[in-house]
Amino acid sequence: MNFWFAVFRQTGRNLRQTWTSQFMTFLTVSLSVLIFAFFYLIYTNMLGAGDRLSDDLRLIVYLEDEPGPQMQEQLRRKIQNFDDVEDIHFISKEEAYQRFAMQLGENSDVLQDMPTNFLPASIEVVPLKSLRGYNQIKLFSEYLANLPGTEKVQYGQEWVERFYYFTRLLTIVVFLSGTLLILTATFMVAYTIRLTIMGRQDELELLKLVGATNSYIRMPFLIEGILQGFMGSIIGLSALYGLFQWITAHFTGPGLLSLFQFSFFPPGVIFLIIMSSICLCSIGSYTSIRKFLRI
Amino acid sequence: MIEMIKVSRTYDPNITALSDISLSIATGEMFFLIGRSGAGKTTLLKLICNMETPSNGLIEVAGYNINKLKGKDLAHLRQKIGVAYQDFKLLSNRTVAENIAIAMEVSYKNPRTIRHRVRDLLDQLQLVDKHDTLTGELSRGEQQRVALARSVANSPRLILVDEPTGNLDASTTRRVMELLTRSNKAGATIVIATHDDSIYQQGNHRIMELRDGNIHSLTRGSLK
Ligand SMILES: Nc1ncnc2c1ncn2[C@@H]1O[C@H](COP(=O)(O)OP(=O)(O)OP(=O)(O)O)[C@@H](O)[C@H]1O
Ligand SMILES: [Mg+2]
């Protein structure tokens, strides 16, 4: 009969004998995976939304006067002095009026009595994709505001600011829940395996005496850890998927969430989470084996 | 099978359990070890199966220096040595069948082979009805037989038996000896430590008497 059959039989015995603490560990691991994956999912979706938002990010520089061609050239140069930009687009008063009318559509007749130059001329600056982060954009807008002849700069400051701080907060939460996952997975697994080992000293002792190889004695505990990691992450992720389905079914539609295009993890990330969970739990069981299994 | 050269074993506060024992036991031999309580019989058996290490001297079992063996090699050698301990070392919360099976499981025997072998041994030792009893609930004499069954279960090349008949009546003693004799006929080397002169007087096996850790005499049983 082969080694693996014997090892799995031994693992089954371990599990049967200590199933209550095994079950508690399994629940803790699942819950940690769920918590971590939950925040991580929100985080990745936020990042996705952030990408989409910053794709559309434009700084509008309102000007006091309509710039002549010479002035335009000068402004363009000054803007590019700060940083390369994706695009610079001058909008004359006339153009601004046209756009506004277009946006109003059917209601454009309210503009009938207005002069076509009542809107200020502006420059639309599309920053480079590499210009990320709230601080850089803020610096850039301050620079633009100090150009000669500018009135003010707009880019949805409040929105960008809040979004930026929320992502920062989420980064911290993801980090913390990741730490929680690492701690629970390694320590809980190490603890239950320690419990099993302690409860069965006499058997492990006897196994040695009747000629069990070290791997035959150790492997079941390692498999236990791997199983905990595997099952825990599968259940944790499945719970999250259920939650995700429920949320998308109840909260999508025209609203804030649709802006985010909430999406679940791609297979690669799922695989990675499962693998890390398995790794962490194996590390937990391995440390216990090293510490308490004197062979 | 066993070579011991000037083997001594002392325990910490200058207790000499064994001193300068030189001994050679041939393959296929049945060898008796006798002596008063505390003479060093158990210590000698423990040295042979590497449960204890000698303070001095050299022990070779099946051509291996047993104290230099490690890891897999030691495990494989131990699978070939069956030991019935004086304190039995049974797992009291496991059944009789499970206790016997352990010795075969470590060499990855087929579960069906294990089942048959366990039934066969229990039959020979009149324990069939205890198959599923926890060993903690057995009498001393029953535990003793389970320990013996476990030691011979994996058909080892060397069987070390410590006090196999201490708690048994005459007819059960006979069955135990029949089992050991059968293993011996099948080629196993057997070393038995005992007080029971009824078992070592019935053959022409070599008998070594220990006294205070020394070899007192080495004789042969008087063949009836
Ligand atoms: N672990 C130990 N620590 C200290 N002394 C020990 C230890 N094991 C055995 N001894 C001592 O070694 C001596 C021999 O003991 P051993 O168990 O070999 O005797 P024995 O011949 O098997 O006796 P019995 O017939 O009662 O089983 C005894 O004096 C005993 O007290
Ligand atoms: Mg003894």
Side-chain angles (χ1 to χ4, degrees):
Chain A
M1 193 66 330
N2 68 63
F3 174 73
W4 288 106
F5 174 83
V7 163
F8 277 110
R9 182 176 50 200
Q10 202 68 357
T11 312
R13 282 178 192 157
N14 283 5
L15 292 179
R16 231 174 307 139
Q17 212 171 48
T18 54
W19 72 270
T20 36
S21 54
Q22 299 284 355
F23 189 69
M24 290 308 291
T25 307
F26 159 72
L27 278 187
T28 331
V29 173
S30 317
L31 205 65
S32 319
V33 170
L34 175 64
I35 292 172
F36 168 74
F38 175 75
F39 287 118
Y40 189 61
L41 184 63
I42 295 180
Y43 178 71
T44 49
N45 275 287
M46 282 297 279
L47 283 191
D51 272 355
R52 253 170 275 131
L53 275 182
S54 63
D55 280 353
D56 297 340
L57 183 73
R58 274 157 182 60
L59 294 110
I60 314 284
V61 185
Y62 291 104
L63 301 170
E64 283 160 0
D65 283 311
E66 183 104 44
Q70 229 175 325
M71 187 66 185
Q72 282 191 12
E73 204 39 52
Q74 211 179 333
L75 281 169
R76 197 183 287 275
R77 222 164 339 104
K78 284 206 163 137
I79 291 172
Q80 274 164 345
N81 254 352
F82 180 85
D83 196 4
D84 262 339
V85 291
E86 189 74 31
D87 193 20
I88 296 175
H89 188 66
F90 285 90
I91 298 168
S92 65
K93 295 183 173 192
E94 178 73 29
E95 264 177 292
Y97 180 82
Q98 300 294 347
R99 279 195 187 188
F100 191 40
M102 206 126 92
Q103 278 171 17
L104 286 175
E106 282 183 0
N107 302 324
S108 62
D109 33 336
V110 296
L111 294 177
Q112 216 103 74
D113 299 331
M114 304 293 269
T116 57
N117 63 351
F118 85 104
L119 289 167
S122 58
I123 319 171
E124 202 180 78
V125 182
V126 183
L128 279 184
K129 295 267 178 293
S130 62
L131 190 74
R132 282 281 154 79
Y134 174 62
N135 282 330
Q136 273 178 295
I137 294 196
K138 202 168 162 178
L139 272 178
F140 192 32
S141 85
E142 272 161 15
Y143 175 80
L144 291 176
N146 285 330
L147 290 178
T150 54
E151 203 140 69
K152 66 171 181 175
V153 182
Q154 250 185 9
Y155 58 91
Q157 282 94 330
E158 259 180 43
W159 231 101
V160 171
E161 198 170 332
R162 269 191 214 150
F163 189 83
Y164 175 72
Y165 280 117
F166 189 54
T167 343
R168 272 273 293 260
L169 185 72
L170 260 181
T171 319
I172 296 170
V173 172
V174 166
F175 182 75
L176 286 180
S177 60
T179 315
L180 175 82
L181 172 66
I182 291 172
L183 291 183
T184 51
T186 48
F187 283 105
M188 282 299 286
V189 170
Y191 178 74
T192 33
I193 290 189
R194 199 191 92 154
L195 220 63
T196 321
I197 293 176
M198 293 306 206
R200 305 176 64 183
Q201 278 304 356
D202 52 344
E203 180 184 351
L204 299 174
E205 192 69 26
L206 179 74
L207 280 174
K208 260 186 286 174
L209 290 177
V210 294
T213 56
N214 286 352
S215 38
Y216 176 78
I217 297 177
R218 281 181 183 150
M219 199 54 87
F221 295 109
L222 206 59
I223 290 178
E224 231 171 85
I226 291 172
L227 268 180
Q228 292 281 14
F230 181 69
M231 295 298 293
S233 56
I234 291 282
I235 297 299
L237 284 173
S238 307
L240 181 65
Y241 188 70
L243 194 69
F244 170 79
Q245 290 290 355
W246 187 78
I247 287 176
T248 42
H250 287 256
F251 292 94
T252 7
L256 189 64
L257 282 169
S258 62
L259 168 73
F260 286 119
Q261 291 180 9
F262 223 49
S263 62
F264 203 66
F265 296 123
V269 174
I270 293 178
F271 180 74
L272 220 70
I273 292 179
I274 294 176
M275 276 336 242
S276 344
S277 167
I278 290 177
C279 264
L280 290 173
C281 292
S282 316
I283 290 172
S285 70
Y286 186 73
T287 51
S288 261
I289 292 169
R290 289 308 300 256
K291 256 215 214 115
F292 299 105
L293 211 61
R294 304 240 168 272
I295 305 189
Chain B
M1 181 55 102
I2 303 172
E3 296 288 343
M4 301 181 88
I5 300 165
K6 287 186 162 294
V7 173
S8 303
R9 171 68 191 171
T10 50
Y11 288 106
D12 256 348
N14 53 42
I15 299 171
T16 307
L18 287 175
S19 63
D20 275 347
I21 303 288
S22 295
L23 172 67
S24 164
I25 298 175
T27 303
E29 189 174 355
M30 190 185 264
F31 188 89
F32 286 91
L33 206 54
I34 60 172
R36 280 196 207 108
S37 180
K41 305 182 293 296
T42 301
T43 307
L44 188 66
L45 293 184
K46 281 181 176 172
L47 287 174
I48 294 171
C49 68
N50 197 17
M51 238 179 102
E52 302 266 2
T53 46
S55 311
N56 263 312
L58 180 78
I59 303 174
E60 264 189 21
V61 176
Y64 298 101
N65 180 345
I66 192 150
N67 298 116
K68 290 246 172 73
L69 281 183
K70 276 205 207 64
K72 241 192 179 118
D73 297 330
L74 178 60
H76 286 314
L77 183 61
R78 276 177 163 169
Q79 288 173 14
K80 298 251 180 300
I81 304 177
V83 188
Y85 300 93
Q86 193 167 12
D87 55 356
F88 310 146
K89 295 198 191 303
L90 297 173
L91 304 175
S92 56
N93 55 353
R94 300 286 196 85
T95 67
V96 168
E98 286 169 341
N99 267 279
I100 299 173
I102 282 179
M104 289 178 276
E105 283 170 359
V106 295
S107 51
Y108 320 134
K109 289 266 172 9
N110 190 314
R112 228 172 42 152
T113 317
I114 294 179
R115 261 200 311 279
H116 284 140
R117 179 75 172 145
V118 168
R119 290 227 171 261
D120 180 40
L121 285 169
L122 290 180
D123 188 37
Q124 292 183 49
L125 293 169
Q126 287 186 304
L127 285 171
V128 178
D129 54 331
K130 304 290 183 199
H131 187 274
D132 295 318
T133 313
L134 300 182
T135 54
E137 296 167 0
L138 297 177
S139 75
R140 299 276 301 163
E142 287 163 341
Q143 290 179 355
Q144 194 162 41
R145 279 175 284 160
V146 176
L148 185 87
R150 186 183 62 198
S151 72
V152 301
N154 204 24
S155 311
R157 308 298 308 140
L158 172 62
I159 302 173
L160 307 175
V161 196
D162 202 345
E163 215 62 68
T165 58
N167 303 289
L168 304 181
D169 57 77
S171 88
T172 324
T173 298
R174 203 154 54 260
R175 281 184 171 267
V176 165
M177 287 315 292
E178 274 166 17
L179 178 60
L180 286 173
T181 309
R182 212 167 301 138
S183 301
N184 183 231
K185 292 244 167 70
T189 310
I190 300 186
V191 181
I192 303 173
T194 184
H195 290 126
D196 187 348
D197 53 6
S198 75
I199 62 174
Y200 62 80
Q201 291 300 354
Q202 302 176 350
N204 68 337
H205 314 295
R206 286 201 296 163
I207 304 163
M208 184 171 90
E209 184 177 353
L210 286 175
R211 201 171 277 184
D212 297 330
N214 294 297
I215 300 178
H216 176 71
S217 66
L218 193 55
T219 52
R220 272 188 190 279
S222 45
L223 187 67
K224 271 190 193 164

